[in-house]
Amino acid sequence: MKRTLLLFALLLATTFSAVADKGMWLPSLISSRIKDMKSKGFKLSAEDIYSVNQASLKDAVVLFDGGCTGEIVSEKGLLLTNHHCGYDAIQALSSVDHDYLTNGFWAMNHDEELYCPGLKVHILVRMEEVTERIAAGETKEQIIAKAEAEGIGYRAKVESMYYGNMAYLFIYREFSDVRLVGAPPTTIGKFGADNDNWIWPRHTGDFSVFRIYANENNEPAEYSASNKPYTPARHFQISTKGIKEGDFTMIYGFPGNTQEYITSDAVKYISELSDPLKIHFRTERLDIIGAAQAQSPKTRIQYAAKQANIANAWKKWQGEVKGINRLGTYNKKLAYEAKFRKENPEKAYLLDSLKAAYERNMEGYFNYELYSETLRGIELQQVVAIAKSEKLSDEQKQAAAELFYKDFDVNVDRQLAVAMLKEYEKYGTFISEELKALFAQHGGAEGYANWLYDNTSLSTLEGFNIESAKSDAMAEFAAAVAPIQQRIKAYTYRNFSNIPDIERWFRPYVKALMEWDKKRAFFPDANLTLRVAYGKVAGYEYADGEWHLPQTTLEGIIAKDNPEIYDYNVPQALRDAYATKDYGRWGVEMYGKYTVPVCFIATNHTTGGNSGSPVLNNKGELIGVNFDRTWLSTMSDIEFDETLCRNIICDIRYVLFVVDKVGGAGWLIEEMGL
């Protein structure tokens, strides 16, 4: 085993020397990339990026709410992330009377900051390789238990890299007292909404401001009025000097999911079956929710976060399919695999075994995805789960039900149930006998869905009763779905290729690739662990004769401003600042005009999870908040194209301009050391 690990380490050292902007690199191994980074303008050392012996940049980066990134920007735990990352928390605190989504929110002192129940952030203590410990017989559970016993609030995970060729332990401090400090109005934070999502040029002020609180010893603690702002080991210094084409940029964050090494079989499944059907299902759901939101301000708020979550991947998948087809990724994979077979005939069986494994598991994984996009989206069955929970007291069940109904409209859920049950009836092959019988009793899926909502007593909070909920018509539906849930458990993995029956062949295949393809830069697929990516500020050719500049300005916002369209109706304070050119210290001369910079693009390799990541200059100073990719980039989870792939960043100067001129929260700017 030690000889195998040594060989693998040597392979990594060889491939890490390859020069390329693409890649998501483990911070603990970043010394292997420093030479290349410095050749592109970086001024710091590997120890500045990641260290366990002294404060480093890693101590200012947080995993935000389990799926985004954030950055600490003051000595008092002030935290920046995306508006769309904080959206759930902002929505949960909002109501018709206090519509923080529409109007924004700005605390003017610590006492006005709002506690966000359930919101957690994690700060990495350290990462370490544990491949040999596992090979020696230590279980992941044992490794995690030892790590979590090291400190107060410690949480740990063991993650595999390179399809199980390596394993790493990640130890975090978990902070659960997190408070909302500031959020721009939605028409800044989500300017353009779905129309502009994944699009460049972009003019979205996609940021929000939170604060981490700790106990008197600066340790993680549950919410308490006596808690104090957290004092971080390190926070980011902010640069307002601006950017220009070609400037070095670095992303430090928690990318969630890439599939760099999948074979042609998986690419075909994604582009021809999985993505197209998921797009179809989500189009139906978005149409139903959007129509209801347009008719009611209350429903708009209730379903704002849900709609945003559905729409984000929906549009991403559309771009992904187009990108895969445009680049010819499937045919490229076929050619690469043919070359591997020719030059490694003794290992060709690995590709044959992978193909057979994909074929064995395709129906199961498709049914898992189908369930996720259809049956799981019928929300009212969650109330049955609350009533039947053995972990909650009756008081907790009642509280959970109240929280559920706050953001629930039975008419919307009914329409979704009709549409999604019809889709499941059409495509599902794992359908249970119980659900088949219910469909048959009521003339099919649509008839059953309407009967179900006509006969449930759980439509409203007033109709919720812990005992009767257990025998309600909705409980019968949940019971009919349970066998399907049980059957798809074997396929519930991040990606198709992570199913154990498939991954076991990827382990030797990826190792064989690294031994064979010496010129390729190998990095572990993203899995929501801390990574470094670097590149430069750069425009790109969007189409023949159409060059996109790397920076947008306030003029672009005003050009789109339309009071008659909710997503483009900017706050009056922004209009006033533009009309009077009252830009304060945030105004600059750019493109021959006096303006405020809004967003810029760079060549950093990013994906979901990088939302909210700090974007740093060559001195490690904060110059922006990452929030998106261009639509031509969404295939980068599978194939990264250096000529087209661009990440989209909210310029820190626009963040500060909005805080100052729209929010009137100058005290926060002073706290950031500006």
Side-chain angles (χ1 to χ4, degrees):
M1 183 64 192
K2 287 186 177 180
R3 288 184 62 193
T4 302
L5 288 173
L6 178 60
L7 174 61
F8 200 76
L10 290 171
L11 290 170
L12 289 176
T14 301
T15 56
F16 277 0
S17 64
V19 177
D21 273 359
K22 82 169 183 176
M24 299 174 175
W25 310 101
L26 288 168
S28 61
L29 301 176
I30 200 63
S31 58
S32 300
R33 302 300 302 179
I34 282 294
K35 183 178 179 180
D36 186 45
M37 293 172 72
K38 288 192 172 185
S39 74
K40 296 173 180 178
F42 191 57
K43 302 296 185 184
L44 302 182
S45 68
E47 191 79 359
D48 291 321
I49 295 174
Y50 176 88
S51 176
V52 294
N53 300 313
Q54 63 186 35
S56 60
L57 295 180
K58 79 164 175 61
D59 298 304
V61 185
V62 310
L63 177 62
F64 184 88
D65 203 23
C68 283
T69 305
E71 52 272 8
I72 302 172
V73 293
S74 85
E75 295 178 348
K76 296 181 179 179
L78 196 67
L79 179 71
L80 295 179
T81 188
N82 286 156
H83 184 268
H84 78 259
C85 292
Y87 203 71
D88 285 359
I90 300 165
Q91 186 267 333
L93 293 169
S94 296
S95 64
V96 173
D97 294 331
H98 298 285
D99 189 353
Y100 301 136
L101 291 177
T102 298
N103 303 320
F105 170 82
W106 303 98
M108 294 302 163
N109 53 58
H110 292 316
D111 292 339
E112 293 184 1
E113 296 172 358
L114 301 178
Y115 168 60
C116 303
L119 177 59
K120 300 179 189 297
V121 302
H122 295 80
I123 301 176
L124 184 69
V125 177
R126 71 175 189 277
M127 63 179 70
E128 62 182 67
E129 190 184 350
V130 293
T131 316
E132 288 195 20
R133 289 172 63 180
I134 292 173
E138 198 170 358
T139 67
K140 290 183 179 180
E141 291 74 18
Q142 289 170 330
I143 293 171
I144 289 170
K146 289 178 183 177
E148 292 186 345
E150 291 182 16
I152 295 173
Y154 275 28
R155 298 290 181 268
K157 293 196 302 182
V158 173
E159 298 284 358
S160 71
M161 305 287 170
Y162 302 103
Y163 290 93
N165 279 294
M166 301 177 77
Y168 269 80
L169 168 68
F170 294 83
I171 306 173
Y172 304 89
R173 286 189 181 91
E174 179 182 87
F175 292 85
S176 56
D177 187 351
V178 184
R179 306 183 195 182
L180 177 64
V181 178
T186 290
T187 48
I188 288 179
K190 200 182 174 187
F191 182 77
D194 294 335
N195 290 325
D196 286 7
N197 194 19
W198 303 102
I199 297 299
W200 183 261
R202 194 68 169 277
H203 303 88
T204 309
D206 196 348
F207 78 93
S208 52
V209 189
F210 292 81
R211 192 184 303 279
I212 306 169
Y213 278 75
N215 65 17
E216 59 183 6
N217 297 319
N218 206 40
E219 298 165 333
E222 294 298 318
Y223 169 76
S224 171
S226 63
N227 284 346
K228 307 294 183 184
Y230 169 65
T231 303
R234 181 76 176 262
H235 70 278
F236 286 112
Q237 301 296 321
I238 293 172
S239 171
T240 58
K241 294 180 181 178
I243 53 93
K244 64 181 184 301
E245 181 100 24
D247 279 357
F248 177 91
T249 56
M250 172 180 143
I251 292 272
Y252 210 167
F254 291 86
N257 183 33
T258 57
Q259 302 182 71
E260 177 77 11
Y261 309 108
I262 58 173
T263 63
S264 56
D265 299 294
V267 173
K268 187 173 186 178
Y269 171 79
I270 291 167
S271 61
E272 296 184 10
L273 179 60
S274 175
D275 279 4
L277 274 177
K278 289 187 294 188
I279 292 165
H280 169 65
F281 299 146
R282 291 203 175 196
T283 299
E284 286 189 86
R285 293 164 68 189
L286 288 168
D287 287 347
I288 291 167
I289 292 172
Q293 287 179 306
Q295 296 174 8
S296 165
K298 181 181 179 182
T299 305
R300 176 179 55 77
I301 294 171
Q302 287 176 317
Y303 282 80
K306 299 172 188 178
Q307 187 274 347
N309 289 335
I310 295 168
N312 191 50
W314 166 76
K315 194 166 185 180
K316 183 258 187 183
W317 290 326
Q318 294 175 59
E320 185 171 74
V321 171
K322 289 179 180 292
I324 288 171
N325 292 335
R326 183 183 67 251
L327 293 175
T329 304
Y330 174 68
N331 288 328
K332 285 181 184 177
K333 291 279 187 181
L334 282 177
Y336 188 74
E337 290 156 18
K339 186 178 180 182
F340 176 83
R341 285 178 181 276
K342 182 178 179 180
E343 297 181 12
N344 302 274
E346 76 286 358
K347 295 180 180 177
Y349 76 94
L350 293 172
L351 284 167
D352 295 333
S353 299
L354 278 167
K355 186 176 188 67
Y358 276 123
E359 290 174 352
R360 282 195 301 272
N361 291 281
M362 187 174 294
E363 182 186 14
Y365 194 74
F366 174 76
N367 273 273
Y368 157 63
E369 292 198 294
L370 176 64
Y371 164 80
S372 298
E373 294 297 326
T374 57
L375 299 184
R376 192 167 68 179
I378 300 171
E379 288 190 280
L380 197 51
Q381 60 188 315
Q382 295 176 27
V383 179
V384 176
I386 291 171
K388 290 186 173 182
S389 174
E390 297 179 357
K391 297 180 179 179
L392 301 176
S393 66
D394 285 355
E395 184 178 347
Q396 290 172 322
K397 290 177 181 179
Q398 187 65 35
E402 290 174 6
L403 191 63
F404 171 85
Y405 284 108
K406 174 182 178 293
D407 294 324
F408 176 78
D409 184 313
V410 68
N411 295 318
V412 175
D413 205 51
R414 180 187 190 120
Q415 293 177 66
L416 290 171
V418 169
M420 293 303 100
L421 281 172
K422 286 171 64 178
E423 294 290 8
Y424 191 81
E425 183 181 40
K426 180 178 180 180
Y427 291 104
T429 59
F430 277 17
I431 187 168
S432 65
E433 293 301 319
E434 293 87 343
L435 194 56
K436 282 183 183 177
L438 290 172
F439 286 173
Q441 289 173 23
H442 300 282
E446 183 173 3
Y448 171 63
N450 283 315
W451 177 89
L452 177 62
Y453 281 78
D454 284 341
N455 287 274
T456 181
S457 62
L458 302 175
S459 298
T460 64
L461 176 61
E462 291 71 26
F464 174 74
N465 178 278
I466 293 172
E467 289 307 314
S468 62
K470 297 175 184 178
S471 56
D472 187 85
M474 192 60 63
E476 183 183 37
F477 169 66
V481 171
I484 302 170
Q485 295 171 324
Q486 188 63 34
R487 194 172 177 189
I488 64 170
K489 272 186 179 180
Y491 306 96
T492 308
Y493 289 89
R494 179 185 288 113
N495 295 309
F496 191 8
S497 305
N498 294 124
I499 294 172
D501 186 37
I502 299 173
E503 186 172 273
R504 71 189 181 99
W505 293 109
F506 263 109
R507 194 170 300 119
Y509 175 62
V510 170
K511 182 173 177 290
L513 289 183
M514 296 175 82
E515 293 171 344
W516 166 64
D517 193 349
K518 302 294 187 182
K519 294 182 179 180
R520 185 172 181 177
F522 287 89
F523 54 90
D525 274 324
N527 55 4
L528 209 63
T529 57
L530 190 60
R531 305 293 179 91
V532 171
Y534 58 93
K536 62 185 177 182
V537 175
Y540 68 105
E541 187 178 28
Y542 177 76
D544 183 41
E546 185 175 346
W547 182 263
H548 281 183
L549 295 169
Q551 180 94 61
T552 59
T553 68
L554 187 59
E555 272 71 14
I557 295 175
I558 299 303
K560 294 179 180 178
D561 179 28
N562 187 337
E564 295 181 3
I565 302 176
Y566 178 81
D567 296 324
Y568 293 100
N569 182 18
V570 302
Q572 188 60 41
L574 195 63
R575 297 190 187 106
D576 294 342
Y578 174 76
T580 61
K581 298 297 184 284
D582 180 20
Y583 302 152
R585 60 195 294 190
W586 321 116
V588 298
E589 290 291 335
M590 182 182 296
Y591 302 145
K593 59 197 173 191
Y594 181 61
T595 187
V596 177
V598 176
C599 296
F600 65 95
I601 52 175
T603 63
N604 304 105
H605 194 173
T606 63
T607 186
N610 276 126
S611 292
S613 293
V615 181
L616 310 174
N617 63 16
N618 62 354
K619 297 178 182 178
E621 298 168 327
L622 186 68
I623 56 174
V625 183
N626 186 74
F627 70 93
D628 207 355
R629 286 172 283 171
T630 62
W631 211 32
L632 296 181
S633 306
T634 55
M635 76 296 174
S636 64
D637 292 348
I638 296 165
E639 181 180 359
F640 185 90
D641 178 6
E642 290 88 345
T643 63
L644 284 177
C645 288
R646 298 293 183 269
N647 58 305
I648 305 177
I649 303 141
C650 185
D651 195 303
I652 195 63
R653 293 170 292 177
Y654 186 57
V655 172
L656 298 170
F657 167 77
V658 172
V659 171
D660 185 11
K661 296 298 182 178
V662 177
W667 72 288
L668 296 176
I669 294 172
E670 291 180 15
E671 183 181 327
M672 292 181 223
L674 296 169

